Amino acid sequence: MIVKIFKTIGLISYLTSIFFVFSSVLFSFFCNSADSSFQNDWSSIIINMFLIVSYSSIFTLQKIQIKGRKIDGIHLISFPIIFLFFPNLFLIKTILILQTILLIYGQFVFIKILHSKNTGKWIFDLSIIISLLAQFNMIFYVFYFLLLFIFFKRGLKDAKNLLALILPVFMMPFIFNSLSVVLPPKTFAFINPTIQFNLLDPLTLPNEEIVWLFTLLISVLICLVQIPRVYMKFSYPKLFSGFFYMAFWLLFGLFYGLFGLNTIENRWFFSFIPGAYFFGSFLENIKSDTMKNTVFSLILLSIIVFKLLNHGILSLELPF
């Protein structure tokens, strides 16, 4: 039944997706606030809902641009379901939200570079995005490997493209340093922080994070299995380019969480979007609708039962 709703993108699929988003967010807040009321958390609930709806809609609309109407709305359901696996709620921090928006737009630009004649403009845009991300956390400079991959793949050696690559690397720090003279120092407290490592301790890892780490490892496995299959779909080369970008993002999010780069409480935030993306890709590649419904139902039921047990809301103890 669920698969049939998301076979096409329309009003019913969007409304169903919003219902799942609302239910998953509300259920997660309920589990995390089992010992207290969460009536004062409605602003956070609404923002969490808005973010999930925005993320899933952006990826769905982007795939529509590539494949037209030959696409289902599977990502409209994968994001709210994966949110149930996420070890904690989204902490509403402007910089983190800005970084995810830039990374999502970065996928669009990455595709444009590989499949557009005007490479200089798009290389400049992606270099600006990466350099801007790196102003808040220098570890994001690793995304320049994607640009180096593009230069190697397309054989770009001319001065115009090299200048488009290098100029933002020097331009963005100069702009931020100039603004720091004008704006209050508190505004720039998060600019260019020293890289700190908070290595994940497997001995003290809570159950939620174990489940999320296992989910990410499965996503990596899905990615490795599907890369050859997606690459063979030459009718949609742009789709493979986006897939490749998300694979890089997934590995980045995984290592970001394992090493806790400059954060402890938000260590898994950057792995949520690629995790949901590859979960949707996994469901999309199951050919049988019956099997899709079965897998979806089992996954949904399993995570609901786990969260109820883990938070002590449900007990396996016998009443006698």
Side-chain angles (χ1 to χ4, degrees):
M1 179 63 183
I2 296 297
V3 171
K4 187 176 180 181
I5 294 175
F6 291 96
K7 266 197 170 294
T8 57
I9 298 175
L11 180 61
I12 295 178
S13 58
Y14 271 110
L15 290 177
T16 306
S17 174
I18 292 173
F19 169 76
F20 271 101
V21 170
F22 178 77
S23 301
S24 62
V25 172
L26 205 62
F27 179 73
S28 296
F29 268 85
F30 168 73
C31 290
N32 282 272
S33 307
D35 298 329
S36 60
S37 173
F38 60 94
Q39 294 178 355
N40 298 325
D41 295 329
W42 282 107
S43 59
S44 296
I45 291 173
I46 292 173
I47 294 175
N48 273 258
M49 286 181 58
F50 176 77
L51 287 175
I52 298 173
V53 170
S54 299
Y55 292 153
S56 60
S57 298
I58 289 171
F59 277 99
T60 301
L61 292 173
Q62 184 165 294
K63 290 186 74 174
I64 289 176
Q65 288 183 341
I66 297 173
K67 297 181 68 175
R69 288 293 174 183
K70 299 178 181 180
I71 180 178
D72 55 30
I74 199 67
H75 283 100
L76 291 175
I77 192 63
S78 66
F79 277 80
I81 298 304
I82 282 297
F83 183 78
L84 292 172
F85 286 81
F86 200 63
N88 45 43
L89 305 169
F90 290 161
L91 298 177
I92 311 305
K93 293 188 176 182
T94 305
I95 292 178
L96 292 178
I97 296 173
L98 173 63
Q99 287 174 313
T100 55
I101 292 173
L102 288 173
L103 285 170
I104 293 172
Y105 181 64
Q107 185 198 29
F108 171 78
V109 177
F110 181 78
I111 294 173
K112 284 291 185 180
I113 297 173
L114 286 171
H115 305 280
S116 172
K117 294 181 180 179
N118 189 12
T119 55
K121 174 190 180 304
W122 296 112
I123 288 174
F124 183 75
D125 287 352
L126 187 55
S127 186
I128 284 181
I129 290 171
I130 298 172
S131 185
L132 181 57
L133 287 166
Q135 301 312 302
F136 301 103
N137 193 332
M138 292 183 66
I139 197 64
F140 281 93
Y141 275 123
V142 300
F143 276 85
Y144 271 105
F145 282 112
L146 289 174
L147 277 171
L148 295 178
F149 165 78
I150 292 172
F151 270 75
F152 174 78
K153 181 176 177 58
R154 299 201 59 176
L156 302 176
K157 300 177 182 179
D158 56 292
K160 176 184 175 182
N161 289 313
L162 288 173
L163 186 62
L165 170 68
I166 297 173
L167 187 60
V169 178
F170 299 98
M171 184 177 68
M172 294 307 299
F174 175 78
I175 292 174
F176 272 79
N177 287 331
S178 300
L179 289 174
S180 64
V181 178
V182 180
L183 298 177
K186 187 178 180 180
T187 307
F188 289 86
F190 300 101
I191 304 299
N192 289 326
T194 303
I195 294 180
Q196 300 176 2
F197 293 90
N198 300 292
L199 193 63
L200 195 69
D201 185 1
L203 298 178
T204 59
L205 204 61
N207 293 332
E208 299 98 326
E209 293 197 38
I210 293 175
V211 170
W212 182 249
L213 183 59
F214 184 69
T215 303
L216 290 181
L217 293 176
I218 292 178
S219 297
V220 172
L221 180 62
I222 292 171
C223 172
L224 294 175
V225 170
Q226 289 187 350
I227 277 181
R229 186 181 303 174
V230 175
Y231 182 73
M232 292 303 294
K233 295 181 180 179
F234 291 110
S235 54
Y236 302 115
K238 292 182 180 179
L239 199 60
F240 175 74
S241 299
F243 188 93
F244 182 83
Y245 179 93
M246 293 307 299
F248 186 90
W249 185 352
L250 173 65
L251 293 176
F252 171 82
L254 177 60
F255 284 103
Y256 189 96
L258 290 175
F259 290 98
L261 301 173
N262 286 10
T263 182
I264 297 178
E265 56 186 4
N266 293 304
R267 68 167 65 237
W268 299 116
F269 185 76
F270 291 111
S271 63
F272 170 75
I273 292 178
Y277 176 90
F278 284 106
F279 175 66
S281 180
F282 165 70
L283 291 178
E284 190 176 22
N285 281 277
I286 298 177
K287 295 182 179 181
S288 169
D289 288 351
T290 302
M291 182 60 68
K292 278 185 181 180
N293 280 317
T294 303
V295 171
F296 176 84
S297 301
L298 287 175
I299 290 174
L300 179 60
L301 181 62
S302 298
I303 190 60
I304 289 175
V305 172
F306 165 76
K307 290 181 81 73
L308 290 174
L309 290 171
N310 189 58
H311 289 278
I313 302 171
L314 184 67
S315 176
L316 293 178
E317 295 180 1
L318 297 176
F320 50 86

